[in-house]
Amino acid sequence: LFLHNPPSGTPCPQVQNYVPTATLPPEDSQRHRLRDHVLLSASDIKKGRVATYLAEQRVPCCPTKRKLKPDRPGEGSVRTLAEVRTLVAEAAAGGAGKKTAFDPEAPMLGWYSFFVMGKPLLLDAARAFQRAPHVRASATAVARSLFGGEPYLAVHLRREATQLGCSKGSPSVLCPLNGSEWTIDTAAVESHIRRAAAAAAVTHVYIATIWPPQHRKYDGELPRLLQGVSGAASLSDGAAMSRALRASGAAGAASKGMTRYLQSLIEQELCATATAFLGSSRSTWTGNIQLQREAAGLGLTTFFGKGP
């Protein structure tokens, strides 16, 4: 569990502007000495990564962390706020000095734990979620600069160097192994992007990917896609995104201090608000975008290797 504990001893309302939160009732806070603590998320994400997330969102507060192993056999997901409060209470009951083992398969609540969280509650959380103002302003500035405010297809092309996304007979863009039984090659990716753009009736395409690539075989892929797909553009190169934001002069945009993580947040916003979205199956990055788009009622979401 990640518990938000403001250094000043007073609640930090900024957090609630950027992530779904839940608080303990006053009586529980008193009983477990968790006064002014806010539940940020419950997952196996490291404390340092949460601190990085808050810093990139420009929230001036620092997370604390407690570990727990809920004694709730047979339960597969968290579905209600009451269950969230129960998890918080169980963590608090362990005491600050008591060490408990963390079970990564235990029920969890949080933006990144959508695989084990009940779908109705998850969609409610997604409807309340929004990225920080400077992230949204940056995405708006990029879309206006590249496409003049016109509709566009957003593409998330996730290429990996490891074989974790490989399953023979179920080809995926995540798999770096050669052969149509393993992967979806660049030619097929290009063809699918063209079909998705035509289905969405748009003439602009934004491609979000990891750049530079994690695997040498993909060194020439993004340049080929940008040349071969009409109306395609990408600012997955962080330096290029910084230059574009500076040139835009947009108020509130993140024109300096660009990090890989901040760049990823901006591209997430571009994908989440696009007219149509083409994602990479088995990618949690794509999964978050799909979730946000579904919660917002935005259709036209497809995946590489799966129609149109």
Side-chain angles (χ1 to χ4, degrees), residues 86-250:
T86 299
L87 283 176
V88 175
E90 288 174 354
K98 183 177 179 181
K99 294 183 178 180
T100 55
F102 181 78
D103 179 4
E105 299 301 322
M108 297 181 287
L109 174 72
W111 189 251
Y112 292 96
S113 55
F114 52 86
F115 290 118
V116 293
M117 187 175 169
K119 188 64 173 290
L121 182 60
L122 184 61
L123 288 173
D124 283 342
R127 292 185 187 100
F129 176 86
Q130 62 177 356
R131 293 174 185 84
H134 68 288
V135 173
R136 301 197 306 272
S138 297
T140 298
V142 167
R144 185 182 299 115
S145 173
L146 294 177
F147 310 129
E150 295 183 352
Y152 63 95
L153 164 72
V155 176
H156 176 228
L157 176 58
R158 181 63 177 263
R159 293 297 201 183
E160 290 282 358
T162 70
Q163 298 180 20
L164 292 176
C166 296
S167 177
K168 190 173 184 179
S170 299
S172 166
V173 292
L174 272 69
C175 182
L177 298 179
N178 294 324
S180 59
E181 71 274 25
W182 294 106
T183 192
I184 300 174
D185 64 18
T186 301
V189 164
E190 183 178 335
S191 177
H192 199 153
I193 293 175
R194 286 204 196 97
R195 295 198 308 273
V202 298
T203 57
H204 303 294
V205 177
Y206 184 87
I207 301 176
T209 191
I210 298 175
W211 191 263
Q214 295 182 329
H215 197 295
R216 290 182 59 187
K217 69 181 291 184
Y218 301 121
D219 284 351
E221 183 169 61
L222 182 58
R224 171 177 168 173
L225 294 175
L226 294 177
Q227 183 176 11
V229 176
S230 178
S234 177
L235 293 177
S236 288
D237 179 343
M241 180 171 284
S242 290
R243 289 193 298 270
L245 288 172
R246 284 197 298 270
S248 73

Side-chain angles (χ1 to χ4, degrees), residues 6-26:
S8 64
T10 58
C12 181
Q14 296 101 316
V15 173
Q16 299 180 50
N17 293 330
Y18 308 112
V19 293
T21 62
T23 57
L24 281 172

